[in-house]
Every structure is written in structure tokens, then in C-alpha cells.
């Protein structure tokens, strides 16, 4: 397995413009979505950096806030505050979810870094969120296609966890499912306590 980045996706440079950053990220999204595999994710993890994570998580938060704004029937003075809070929750939720997943992968003897995991997770979740938004609006078949996107995203996430943390398939699957099971158990407990109390 080569550690050299593939020649079809240009590297990001600190002297690049915003348009070259966007173009390069689009190439990386397309590469990850079209050719998912351990080799591709292993090459991409060498490109991970904190600035790339921050740029993408801000783009994800802005996109989700924009979709919320487009679904609202009217605009009021409270609306900008609501969208700002939504951005904060998206960013916080992303990092919290990834951190729990990271700790779980490390508990299964994973070796990757948190920045690598966040970067690769965003290479999956940002384009899939955009695709999800448009596919969900297709009449009659949108719901079924969205379900397929969810399954595809889950499969990509398992492959990504394997590549980042050098885990076998079963450990990567367990590291991916465990945070979800724990969150559902916590939510169920909170709902139960709310009903009982």
C-alpha cells in the first residue's frame, strides 16, 4: 500500500486560493464517494489537517442551517439567532459524535488520530448531506433513495474507521456501532426517566 497521494487529486497548498481549495475538496469528495476503499482512505488520511477539518465543518454547519432556513415559512427577527444556534449545535454535535467514535475505536486498539478521523468523516458526510438534501425532495422515490444513502454512508464510515485506525472489519464495525447503541440507550433512559418522573 503506497503512502504517496494519488496523482489525480492535487494537494492543497497554503498559498492556494479559495477556488482552488473548493475545487480540490470537490475532487476529494468525488474520489472518496466513487472509489471507496482502504487504499483511498489510507491515502487521504495522510492529507488530514486541522484547517481542512475546520473549513469543512463550518461549511457543513452553514449548509445545514441554510436548509433549515429554506424549510421555514417566514423570517422574523429571531431567525438569525436560531440559525446561529443551529450552526453551533451542528459543529458541537459533529465533534462530540466523532470524539465518542474515536474513543471507541481507540478502545478496540485503533491507532489513528482524531484529526484524521474528523477529516475523513467530513469527506463522507459533507457531500452525502448535500446529496441527501436534493434526493429527499424527489417525489415518490426520495424516501427510498435517502435510505440507500444512509446505508451507503454507514458502509463508507466503517471502511473509513478501518483505514484510519488500522482495524479489522469486525473491530471497525463494533467501533462504528457502539457509539450509536450507547446514544440510543442514553436517549431511551432519559425519555423513560422523563415519563416516570
Amino acid at each position: 500500500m503506497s503512502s504517496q497521494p494519488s496523482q489525480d487529486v492535487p494537494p492543497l497548498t497554503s498559498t492556494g486560493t479559495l477556488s482552488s481549495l473548493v475545487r480540490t475538496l470537490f475532487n476529494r469528495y468525488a474520489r472518496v464517494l466513487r472509489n471507496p476503499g482502504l487504499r483511498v482512505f489510507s491515502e487521504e488520511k495522510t492529507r488530514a489537517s486541522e484547517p481542512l477539518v475546520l473549513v469543512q465543518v463550518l461549511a457543513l454547519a452553514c449548509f445545514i442551517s441554510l436548509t433549515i432556513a429554506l424549510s421555514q415559512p417566514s423570517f422574523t427577527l429571531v431567525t438569525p439567532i436560531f440559525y446561529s444556534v443551529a450552526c453551533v449545535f451542528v459543529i458541537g454535535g459533529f465533534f462530540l459524535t466523532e470524539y465518542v467514535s474515536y474513543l471507541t475505536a481507540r478502545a478496540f486498539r485503533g491507532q489513528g488520530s482524531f484529526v484524521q478521523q474528523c477529516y475523513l468523516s467530513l469527506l463522507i458526510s459533507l457531500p452525502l448531506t448535500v446529496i441527501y438534501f436534493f434526493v429527499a425532495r424527489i417525489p415518490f422515490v426520495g424516501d427510498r433513495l435517502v435510505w440507500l444513502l444512509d446505508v451507503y454512508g454507514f458502509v463508507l464510515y466503517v471502511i473509513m474507521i478501518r483505514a484510519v485506525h488500522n482495524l479489522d472489519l469486525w473491530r471497525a464495525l463494533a467501533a462504528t456501532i457502539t457509539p450509536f447503541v450507547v446514544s440510543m440507550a442514553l436517549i431511551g433512559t432519559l425519555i423513560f426517566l422523563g415519563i416516570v418522573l
Side-chain angles (χ1 to χ4, degrees), residues 41 44-49 53 56 94-107 110-125 156-167 172 175-176 179:
F41 282 115
E44 284 300 327
K45 81 177 180 181
T46 64
R47 297 174 168 152
S49 69
V53 170
Q56 290 182 93
F94 172 79
F95 284 118
L96 179 63
T97 303
E98 287 305 317
Y99 192 66
V100 169
S101 180
Y102 170 76
L103 290 177
T104 307
R106 295 294 288 195
Q111 302 164 359
S113 75
F114 182 63
V115 172
Q116 289 173 335
Q117 181 177 320
C118 287
Y119 170 69
L120 290 179
S121 179
L122 285 161
L123 287 184
I124 297 167
S125 60
L156 288 178
Y157 197 84
V158 171
I159 296 169
M160 181 272 296
I161 290 292
R162 282 190 71 193
V164 169
H165 295 288
N166 299 319
L167 296 172
T176 302

Side-chain angles (χ1 to χ4, degrees), residues 79-92:
T79 305
I81 296 168
F82 174 73
Y83 300 134
S84 300
V85 170
C87 277
V88 170
F89 274 105
V90 168
I91 294 168

Side-chain angles (χ1 to χ4, degrees), residues 23-197:
R23 190 171 39 257
T24 302
L25 282 174
F26 272 106
N27 288 338
R28 290 181 184 180
Y29 297 143
R31 181 173 185 238
V32 164
L33 293 181
R34 282 188 310 209
N35 306 312
L38 290 175
R39 184 184 65 79
V40 170
F41 282 115
S42 295
E43 287 176 3
E44 284 300 327
K45 81 177 180 181
T46 64
R47 297 174 168 152
S49 69
E50 290 175 8
L52 283 176
V53 170
L54 292 175
V55 164
Q56 290 182 93
V57 81
L58 288 173
L60 180 65
C62 290
F63 181 79
I64 290 174
S65 294
L66 182 64
T67 60
I68 293 170
L70 293 175
S71 66
Q72 299 301 314
S74 64
F75 185 86
T76 65
L77 292 175
V78 180
T79 305
I81 296 168
F82 174 73
Y83 300 134
S84 300
V85 170
C87 277
V88 170
F89 274 105
V90 168
I91 294 168
F94 172 79
F95 284 118
L96 179 63
T97 303
E98 287 305 317
Y99 192 66
V100 169
S101 180
Y102 170 76
L103 290 177
T104 307
R106 295 294 288 195
F108 285 103
R109 298 191 192 123
Q111 302 164 359
S113 75
F114 182 63
V115 172
Q116 289 173 335
Q117 181 177 320
C118 287
Y119 170 69
L120 290 179
S121 179
L122 285 161
L123 287 184
I124 297 167
S125 60
L126 187 55
L128 283 183
T129 300
V130 173
I131 294 168
Y132 191 98
F133 173 77
F134 291 106
V135 166
R137 280 145 183 77
I138 298 174
F140 308 114
V141 295
D143 294 342
R144 290 177 189 88
L145 294 175
V146 162
W147 184 82
L148 288 174
L149 281 174
D150 287 338
V151 171
Y152 185 59
F154 177 79
V155 169
L156 288 178
Y157 197 84
V158 171
I159 296 169
M160 181 272 296
I161 290 292
R162 282 190 71 193
V164 169
H165 295 288
N166 299 319
L167 296 172
D168 62 33
L169 176 62
W170 297 109
R171 287 184 183 178
L173 196 57
T176 302
I177 292 173
T178 301
F180 175 75
V181 171
V182 169
S183 344
M184 290 297 107
L186 283 172
I187 290 170
T189 302
L190 290 174
I191 291 172
F192 176 74
L193 289 175
I195 292 172
V196 171
L197 299 175

Side-chain angles (χ1 to χ4, degrees), residues 5-16:
S6 174
Q7 297 301 322
D8 61 329
V9 182
L12 289 177
T13 61
S14 57
T15 59

